[in-house]
């Protein structure tokens, strides 16, 4: 079995362009959508974060809530990595990816969405 190949997401570029036009946002698309560039942007205290990417996860992993992530140009930006960031400036976060509805309701009534 070989490595899984992910196709380009249909409509993702149009989605990014619509967000850019609506909010005057800076978009990272194509070759710019690297883990490092996204982490740099998240560190810049944005008020809006919109990720349109392939979501990946392993629901059988013991750390199910943090093992997922989004597939970017050069690798996976993990939910665990994001969870360690201080993102108090973010007022709206949108994750447009497959498997994002596969969360679990935790005891503190927080929906954990791992990918």
């Amino acid at each position: 079995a070989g490595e899984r190949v992910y196709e380009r997401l249909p409509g993702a570029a149009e989605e990014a362009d619509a967000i850019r036009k609506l909010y005057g946002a800076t978009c990272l698309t194509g070759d710019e959508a690297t883990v490092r560039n996204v982490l740099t942007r998240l560190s810049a205290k944005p008020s809006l974060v919109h990720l349109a990417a392939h979501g990946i996860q392993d629901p059988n992993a013991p750390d199910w809530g943090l093992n997922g992530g989004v597939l970017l140009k050069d690798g996976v930006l993990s939910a665990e990595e994001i969870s360690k960031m201080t993102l108090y400036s973010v007022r709206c976060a949108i994750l447009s990816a497959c498997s994002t509805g596969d969360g679990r309701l935790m005891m503190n009534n927080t929906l954990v969405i791992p990918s």
Side-chain angles (χ1 to χ4, degrees), residues 13-27 47-48 50 92 94:
E14 293 84 359
E15 192 173 326
D17 193 48
I19 296 295
R20 182 187 57 75
K21 288 177 182 174
L22 273 171
Y23 298 102
T26 299
C27 297
S47 61
L48 170 70
H50 183 105
C92 181
I94 300 156

Side-chain angles (χ1 to χ4, degrees), residues 37-85:
N37 286 346
V38 171
L39 288 173
T40 297
R41 287 292 184 179
L42 288 174
S43 297
K45 297 187 168 67
S47 61
L48 170 70
V49 176
H50 183 105
L51 295 173
H54 286 287
I56 59 172
Q57 67 181 0
D58 178 3
N60 297 315
D63 60 344
W64 188 84
L66 295 176
N67 76 31
V70 291
L71 185 61
L72 299 174
K73 178 67 179 178
D74 63 342
V76 175
L77 175 58
S78 73
E80 181 175 19
E81 200 165 7
I82 293 170
S83 75
K84 293 177 180 177
M85 298 184 77

